[in-house]
Amino acid sequence: MGLRDGDRDESFKSKFAYAERRLVERSAADLIPIAARLLEEVDSYSLSEAKSKLEEYGKPSVSELTRKRVLAIFDTKMLTTEHDRMDFLRRIWPLSEMPSIFSQTYDGRTLEDDLIQATVRNNDWEDREILERVGLLMCSQRQFFRFLEGVTSPLAQSAEAQAELVSAINDLIRHDGFRLTIARMMSGSPVYAVQAAAIGSPADTGISQALAAYDADTIHARWTQALDRRDTNPEGAITLARTLLEDVCKWIIVEAGEEYEEKDDLPQLYKRLAKILKLAPDDHTEVVFKQILGSCQSVVEALGSLRNKISDAHSRGPRRVRPAARHAQLAVNLSGAMATFLVDTWNARKSEQPASSIV
């Protein structure tokens, strides 16, 4: 193992002390390759976990708060819809190697014995409690990601349950810079893997704050949904990008005391709103403002066209282009920027006029 040599007498006094004296001489970085060599010869979950935690120290990680929130998902969702629960757990954790939580009372008992007693013979532990018992909150990130990949596997979940679970988990871990993405297909079903992901664009936070302040229940919720789908479901994200702008236009038009037709599409809604907010290019004489506002109108019209061409709002047909994540990022980012501009402009117009005149 590359440790300092000793003599026979020292080793026979206590093998544990013999090894420990040599290990404490080495730095944590030195211990990683030593542990890796030992794991080539023996199976040890506890050693593997210790090695992983050393390797992960100081690197981007999923916070304890995020882990708790992931755990809370299983208050309402099942660990598996397509598998025996104990078999599923054995795929993720070496339960027969892990000590019982009652080890002080029952010598030689394992965590697997605990789980069989609490979930097979009795029905004492809910899924969330099971995950706490196997150490989901304290395990290495490698093991935590192994769980996320296992619990979202098509072997563990029906297609509908898988989609809902992936969306719920991604909504949480994206804040720490990670995302479940499709790694491969298994008989037509997606298999997910955790990958590092950019934590949105620099504008995401500002847009979120502005839209939440205006309308948290609908407008901001729509923006959050678009963000969640931006990388994993480009077609759905493009649909939501347009819907976000439609919502903003309708909300402000109604708040301004004006009317719109139910048949109005996004370009028509924007033209109505531009008139209310004095954002039409013809409302300004400065050339640069006319150019900018004309470009805004073009962006809105292009988003409507993009949605009609490559979103999930219509049947693709045999020749329809499939959008990539970069297309969705462009559409969502443009939509968020325009929505924020419209909301800020409306707020500015309201502050400039007496309350009685804003009708």
Side-chain angles (χ1 to χ4, degrees), residues 91-337:
R91 285 172 175 261
I92 313 298
W93 285 276
L95 301 177
S96 60
E97 292 182 30
M98 300 170 71
S100 165
I101 62 171
F102 307 111
S103 56
Q104 294 182 340
T105 304
Y106 301 101
D107 187 35
R109 180 163 164 158
T110 68
L111 184 58
E112 182 171 21
D113 297 325
D114 294 344
L115 287 167
I116 291 174
Q117 181 66 38
T119 65
V120 178
R121 298 193 183 103
N122 301 320
N123 190 24
D124 296 333
W125 293 353
E126 300 294 334
D127 285 349
R128 177 171 179 164
E129 190 171 7
I130 290 172
L131 294 177
E132 290 175 338
R133 299 298 191 187
V134 297
L136 191 67
L137 294 177
M138 302 300 295
C139 66
S140 68
Q141 187 151 281
R142 175 193 61 84
Q143 182 66 18
F144 181 70
F145 286 170
R146 185 181 180 189
F147 164 72
L148 295 185
E149 293 168 0
V151 80
T152 58
S153 166
L155 295 175
Q157 306 293 343
S158 66
E160 181 180 358
Q162 182 193 43
E164 292 178 358
L165 194 55
V166 168
S167 177
I169 291 173
N170 273 341
D171 187 41
L172 299 175
I173 65 175
R174 68 181 176 86
H175 297 292
D176 295 323
F178 296 95
R179 180 171 289 276
L180 282 163
T181 59
I182 298 175
R184 59 187 177 88
M185 301 298 289
M186 179 190 295
S187 301
S189 297
V191 177
Y192 289 87
V194 179
Q195 295 182 359
I199 311 179
S201 69
D204 287 355
T205 300
I207 293 172
S208 293
Q209 291 173 347
L211 298 184
Y214 178 67
D215 183 274
D217 293 335
T218 301
I219 304 296
H220 182 257
R222 196 85 70 190
W223 164 249
T224 301
Q225 292 168 353
L227 288 181
D228 292 341
R229 299 187 187 183
R230 192 166 50 181
D231 296 322
T232 58
N233 183 0
E235 295 171 345
I238 290 170
T239 297
L240 287 165
R242 172 169 172 164
T243 306
L244 170 65
L245 276 181
E246 289 176 342
D247 284 339
V248 169
C249 289
K250 290 178 178 179
W251 256 244
I252 297 177
I253 289 171
V254 170
E255 194 173 340
E258 301 290 341
E259 299 289 336
Y260 62 85
E261 301 290 336
E262 287 299 328
K263 64 181 181 180
D264 286 350
D265 60 10
L266 177 56
Q268 291 171 317
L269 287 168
Y270 180 77
K271 287 179 181 178
R272 289 179 185 270
L273 183 58
K275 184 177 180 181
I276 295 170
L277 299 180
K278 295 182 173 56
L279 294 179
D282 293 341
D283 291 331
H284 298 264
T285 57
E286 187 70 33
V287 174
V288 66
F289 286 116
K290 292 175 72 73
Q291 291 175 335
I292 291 173
L293 294 174
S295 297
C296 288
Q297 185 170 324
S298 297
V299 165
V300 172
E301 292 174 353
L303 284 172
S305 177
L306 182 66
R307 186 258 192 174
N308 289 333
K309 292 290 185 182
I310 60 177
S311 77
D312 65 354
H314 302 284
S315 171
R316 290 195 194 93
R319 295 182 179 178
R320 183 174 289 275
V321 176
R322 181 182 293 275
R326 67 180 185 276
H327 301 130
Q329 289 167 1
L330 176 64
V332 172
N333 293 347
L334 286 172
S335 177

Side-chain angles (χ1 to χ4, degrees), residues 345-357:
T345 302
W346 171 236
N347 289 334
R349 294 284 183 267
K350 288 192 294 183
S351 67
E352 293 169 358
Q353 302 176 40
S356 59
S357 66

